[in-house]
Amino acid sequence: MICEVLCVLAGHKSSLFTDDAHVTPDFLPLLHPGEVQTLEALVGLASRFSKIRQAANHFRLLYSNYAIGLGSAKGPKDYVPSEYLSTLGAAILQVLREYEALVVKTEARVLHRDSELVGAKSFVSLSAIRAVFSIWDAPLVALDSLVDDLYAGPPGDLQQLQPVQRTERSEVPAWPPGPLIDTLLQRSRSGIHRVAEIMSQLAVAVQRLWRIHLTAFILHGSLSTSDPLAIESMTGKDAPSTPFAPTRPSSATSPKSISSLALNDRAIPSCITPQTRESILYLGKAVATVKGQGQAQKQFPRTMAVEHAAMLERVLPQDGFAFDRVISEIRATVSEFLWEHVLNERDVEEAVESLYVATPLAQKLAAPKTASTPRPTTPVPQQRDEPHNTQRRSHHDFSSLRNLHSNYLYSLLTGALLGNATYASLIRGILDVCDQFVAQVERWGGDILPGLLSEGSLSAQGSDLGRTVRERWAIVREVNETLNELLQTFYKHLSENMSLGPTSGHPTEASMLLNASTTILGLNVFRAQRESKQGNGRIERDGIAERQVEHLLLRLDYNSAISAPLKAPAEDAENLLQGDLA
């Protein structure tokens, strides 16, 4: 009896049990109800194991049979079995080997009359066998549910909306790697430790294959025929009829096909950020373009590819920030190589010229404009002609261009105080008040004071004498108070920031703005790479930003109207108006 149970647990058939995991009716009178319940629990466990193993073997053989030409001719002409399902099947079989090892180990314990299983060295308790295999209850249930979902298709698949009764599971819906990895990662968040461990193991196996395809794309510019990471963008009648229809990518060696490549969203896990997705497409297209040129001096060095491959080996999409950082670093290195070896001098000069044209405009936009502060004007051509001509005559290497572009963006963000939410909000409020006041003056006809004749004779004693003046005076006073309050608050924040100083132990506003700028624009990678070369570049930048704030404070308070306000009380202003109207 025990030998029969162990054979069933190993996946073999037995005449003692039915196909639906029940004890045969002829055998029921010989067993105690408790024994029947224990046996059926063990047989149910073995049934799930057999079902999962059969499905895993099916998944594993799908792509290998197709690769050697043994696949069925059924299905769409362009259908390619998923290589990811094949990898997943192999990973599931690897997990089930632990279950099979437990069956063999339990049989050996019985044969050696282990006291925990064999009572009085002659009696084996079914409950003891059940307790040994209870650790596989939850994992096999989870794997059984996963197999059902795999045969049902990805979430939102048309085959799920219209389920088909299958007597034999000879067909598997197309599972792109994106939804497959998402499904496994979601199941790995189970509250049962063993289930989470197994699902994480399966997710890692599939992600490793995805990483191989990613490496081939961004380091060599090549795409797989099964679930490519990028496909030729199709619109209209050329688009697939279903969102899951697999398509074979055309050759990625021609410039036309490279330019039309778009990222295959169904092949990208949702845990990858939009910025990293864009970088992946950029890298793949850039590498394919360079390789398509065929010029040996412009090809990426082998050492670079080896270094980047080693970096990718250390991360997976599920790693989140670590994965994003590796892709960002690879993009920075590839971009630097393109600047130094691929782009011609004409392209570089046009880029430099556009930067010099844009920089004076950015400086003018960055200068705050207030009604009480005069602004010196400097002709733009005199600012840029000489540096522009000098730069055109100099050598355009990537580092100088990168620093130029970084300084331009830094000056734009720090000069306009866009990196600080408090300052941006105050500036917005000041501009809104100015906009409302200008609109009000326009409604008055362009003049704040009304015509004297419209107010009547000054010698008249009517009650409406000076009513329009009073109304407009109240509006102007309210605008003036609001604007002064905002300017004083703005000035106070700037002064407090400057009072901290660069040696106070607190980050200055310039430092915070610099950090915000480099984080937003992805310049932190460049900064880390050239840290040893530039040394005091960060300090020099912070000093420039601090001087900008100092100049702004001086311009705001050029007549000490803000730092030492002399504001007349409201009643004094009212008396003054009464005297003027009398």
Side-chain angles (χ1 to χ4, degrees):
M1 177 68 180
I2 295 300
C3 180
E4 191 82 8
V5 171
L6 291 175
C7 288
V8 171
L9 287 173
H12 298 284
K13 295 289 186 178
S14 173
S15 59
L16 299 179
F17 307 101
T18 62
D19 293 336
D20 56 353
H22 290 291
V23 178
T24 56
D26 296 338
F27 196 58
L28 286 175
L30 304 177
L31 299 173
H32 185 274
E35 293 177 322
V36 173
Q37 183 179 7
T38 303
L39 281 173
E40 290 185 346
L42 290 172
V43 173
L45 195 70
S47 177
R48 290 193 184 95
F49 164 73
S50 299
K51 171 186 172 182
I52 297 167
R53 183 177 61 177
Q54 180 182 4
N57 280 311
H58 183 202
F59 299 154
R60 182 177 62 87
L61 296 175
L62 276 176
Y63 188 79
S64 58
N65 288 344
Y66 165 81
I68 62 177
L70 299 179
S72 173
K74 299 179 181 180
K77 180 180 179 181
D78 292 335
Y79 175 76
V80 180
S82 174
E83 189 176 357
Y84 293 90
L85 276 182
S86 179
T87 301
L88 177 60
I92 293 176
L93 291 176
Q94 184 67 30
V95 172
L96 294 181
R97 288 192 182 96
E98 300 178 23
Y99 172 89
E100 295 171 340
L102 180 61
V103 175
V104 175
K105 181 180 178 181
T106 303
E107 182 181 7
R109 292 176 62 187
V110 172
L111 293 177
H112 288 84
R113 302 181 184 275
D114 190 324
S115 59
E116 293 183 359
L117 297 178
V118 183
K121 297 185 178 181
S122 61
F123 175 79
V124 179
S125 171
L126 288 176
S127 60
I129 301 295
R130 178 71 183 93
V132 171
F133 286 90
S134 62
I135 61 174
W136 280 95
D137 285 344
L140 290 182
V141 169
L143 289 173
D144 186 23
S145 174
L146 174 64
V147 167
D148 289 339
D149 288 349
L150 292 176
Y151 278 109
D157 192 350
L158 297 179
Q159 297 184 16
Q160 272 197 341
L161 300 179
Q162 299 176 352
V164 179
Q165 297 292 334
R166 297 185 178 94
T167 56
E168 294 184 1
R169 292 178 171 178
S170 58
E171 299 178 3
V172 181
W175 267 91
L180 182 60
I181 294 175
D182 292 342
T183 298
L184 295 175
L185 289 178
Q186 181 180 6
R187 288 175 175 268
S188 68
R189 302 184 185 98
S190 171
I192 303 175
H193 173 72
R194 181 56 179 157
V195 173
E197 185 181 20
I198 291 175
M199 291 301 170
S200 178
Q201 181 178 342
L202 300 180
V204 167
V206 176
Q207 289 178 89
R208 285 175 177 169
L209 175 61
W210 186 90
R211 185 177 59 191
I212 293 175
H213 291 174
L214 174 69
T215 302
F217 181 50
I218 68 176
L219 300 188
H220 306 287
S222 60
L223 294 167
S224 66
T225 56
S226 171
D227 303 308
L229 296 181
I231 56 177
E232 292 186 51
S233 57
M234 295 178 294
T235 57
K237 63 179 181 180
D238 296 329
S241 57
T242 67
F244 305 102
T247 56
R248 294 176 182 264
S250 61
S251 174
T253 58
S254 64
K256 181 178 179 181
S257 61
I258 295 176
S259 61
S260 63
L261 281 180
L263 210 61
N264 183 5
D265 291 335
R266 301 293 293 175
I268 308 298
S270 61
C271 57
I272 297 180
T273 61
Q275 294 82 1
T276 302
R277 294 180 182 221
E278 190 273 333
S279 295
I280 291 173
L281 181 61
Y282 164 80
L283 289 170
K285 295 174 71 173
V287 173
T289 301
V290 172
K291 287 185 175 293
Q293 292 179 352
Q295 302 179 17
Q297 66 275 15
K298 293 187 176 181
Q299 296 300 314
F300 293 97
R302 179 178 178 82
T303 55
M304 179 187 295
V306 172
E307 180 183 355
H308 291 171
M311 294 169 61
L312 289 171
E313 282 293 326
R314 297 194 293 265
V315 293
L316 290 171
Q318 69 181 23
D319 295 333
F321 174 75
F323 180 82
D324 296 340
R325 182 178 58 187
V326 167
I327 296 297
S328 178
E329 292 176 356
I330 294 176
R331 176 169 183 168
T333 307
V334 170
S335 299
E336 183 171 356
F337 179 87
L338 293 177
W339 278 101
E340 293 179 350
H341 299 86
V342 177
L343 295 179
N344 55 49
E345 185 175 355
R346 180 179 178 182
D347 294 334
V348 175
E349 289 182 351
E350 291 179 354
V352 173
E353 183 177 359
S354 65
L355 280 178
Y356 273 114
V357 170
T359 301
L361 177 60
Q363 292 174 348
K364 293 181 65 178
L365 292 176
K369 294 179 173 56
T370 56
S372 62
T373 306
R375 295 290 180 265
T377 59
T378 303
V380 172
Q382 295 180 6
Q383 282 186 335
R384 60 172 287 265
D385 285 345
E386 183 60 27
H388 170 65
N389 295 332
T390 303
Q391 183 69 21
R392 287 177 63 94
R393 291 192 299 267
S394 64
H395 175 67
H396 301 302
D397 62 345
F398 178 73
S399 297
S400 61
L401 292 175
R402 183 175 59 196
N403 292 335
L404 174 65
H405 184 60
S406 176
N407 290 333
Y408 157 69
L409 294 175
Y410 170 79
S411 298
L412 177 63
L413 288 178
T414 57
L417 299 178
L418 296 177
N420 186 285
T422 302
Y423 292 158
S425 176
L426 289 172
I427 294 174
R428 177 64 181 270
I430 292 171
L431 295 178
D432 286 343
V433 172
C434 295
D435 182 64
Q436 296 171 6
F437 178 68
V438 171
Q440 182 64 58
V441 173
E442 290 180 351
R443 287 193 293 269
W444 289 341
D447 196 349
I448 297 179
L449 290 176
L452 294 178
L453 293 179
S454 64
E455 286 297 291
S457 175
L458 293 179
S459 61
Q461 299 298 323
S463 59
D464 292 339
L465 179 63
R467 182 186 61 181
T468 305
V469 175
R470 294 175 184 274
E471 292 176 353
R472 295 189 180 184
W473 172 79
I475 294 175
V476 172
R477 182 184 64 178
E478 181 180 359
V479 170
N480 181 65
E481 292 176 352
T482 303
L483 187 59
N484 275 290
E485 181 180 354
L486 290 172
L487 288 174
Q488 289 175 6
T489 303
F490 183 62
Y491 184 88
K492 177 182 178 182
H493 280 286
L494 287 176
S495 301
E496 290 177 350
N497 171 71
M498 292 303 298
S499 65
L500 293 176
T503 60
S504 62
H506 300 279
T508 63
E509 192 63 33
S511 300
M512 291 187 289
L513 291 174
L514 176 59
N515 291 334
S517 304
T518 54
T519 300
I520 294 172
L521 300 169
L523 300 177
N524 52 335
V525 174
F526 294 143
R527 186 180 64 220
Q529 292 179 346
R530 64 174 183 267
E531 182 177 356
S532 59
K533 299 181 180 179
Q534 292 189 350
N536 297 328
R538 172 75 175 273
I539 300 176
E540 180 180 356
R541 275 187 159 190
D542 289 350
I544 295 175
E546 290 177 3
R547 288 194 295 272
Q548 289 179 343
V549 175
E550 291 176 353
H551 294 165
L552 178 59
L553 288 172
L554 292 174
R555 292 183 178 183
L556 282 173
D557 197 36
Y558 73 100
N559 58 356
S560 301
I562 298 179
S563 59
L566 299 175
K567 185 177 180 182
E571 57 271 15
D572 294 342
E574 180 72 22
N575 295 334
L576 179 61
L577 182 63
Q578 291 284 2
D580 290 341
L581 293 177

